[in-house]
Amino acid sequence: MSLFMWCAVLGCGALALSLLLDGLFDGLDDLLFDGSLPVLACALGVFGAVGMGVQALAGERLSTPALIGVPLGLAVVAGAVTRAVWRRLRRSMPRNATPLTVGELVGSEVQVVWWKDGRGEVMATSRGHQATLPARSDDVLRTGAVAWVVDTTADDTLVVGRIDPPAPTEPASRPVNRPPAPAG
């Protein structure tokens, strides 16, 4: 087996291990940079695969600097692309795993999940988290209605109030579903 084949096998193996055993190699993140193992494994795998391809196509007619330079250049590009994708994915993942507290929902809109006799459940969304919480209100609410959180109680129940929709505009005073009066 050539050096390139070993690099390809080791790179693909390290990439598979880093994805399957996530967290086991996090010590490398402290030594180098966040996500260093997938980036380095991808670059090593690309170096080996491209090196095998260049060696197979060119054979013995290619000088050593070109035989090493082409795969090395593409490996650096692959590592940079992998690093950019890794950073982009890390930014899009939620960093704040702290659960919602009822106190932070005061003043926000919630949607009624079910309601009966002044009590029920509402669905609240804040910081990308969604929670269904118990609620009470003196207002008459219906399932699917939008309400706003007025206060919280000691037992983490939300006190909600109805959001009044704008008054419907009345059409012209023509009676609905009645045929026009006959002429004559």
Side-chain angles (χ1 to χ4, degrees):
M1 283 181 28
S2 71
L3 171 69
F4 295 122
M5 187 172 289
W6 278 109
C7 288
V9 168
L10 289 175
C12 291
L15 184 60
L17 281 178
S18 71
L19 296 176
L20 293 175
L21 303 176
D22 185 36
L24 186 62
F25 302 108
D26 284 345
L28 286 176
D29 293 344
D30 296 334
L31 287 174
L32 299 171
F33 53 85
D34 184 35
S36 58
L37 186 59
V39 170
L40 294 174
C42 180
L44 185 63
V46 167
F47 174 76
V50 171
M52 282 191 305
V54 168
Q55 191 176 29
L57 290 176
E60 301 295 325
R61 295 174 288 161
L62 202 58
S63 66
T64 303
L67 185 62
I68 299 294
V70 171
L72 188 61
L74 289 174
V76 169
V77 169
V81 168
T82 305
R83 176 74 175 142
V85 169
W86 180 267
R87 289 177 56 116
R88 176 77 177 173
L89 289 174
R90 293 290 287 188
R91 269 187 293 203
S92 67
M93 292 169 35
R95 294 184 187 147
N96 190 354
T98 308
L100 290 175
T101 61
V102 293
E104 72 184 84
L105 295 174
V106 174
S108 63
E109 288 185 358
V110 293
Q111 185 172 9
V112 177
V113 176
W114 64 267
W115 202 261
K116 184 177 181 182
D117 299 330
R119 300 188 82 70
E121 284 188 352
V122 294
M123 184 170 42
T125 304
S126 177
R127 293 185 285 119
H129 298 284
Q130 193 173 32
T132 303
L133 302 165
R136 66 177 177 84
S137 177
D138 295 331
D139 296 332
V140 177
L141 297 173
R142 294 184 180 188
T143 300
V146 177
W148 54 279
V149 180
V150 179
D151 198 7
T152 62
T153 62
D155 63 345
D156 289 342
T157 300
L158 300 176
V159 179
V160 297
R162 184 178 66 206
I163 296 178
D164 292 323
T169 56
E170 292 293 325
S173 61
R174 182 173 176 236
V176 180
N177 294 333
R178 285 198 180 165

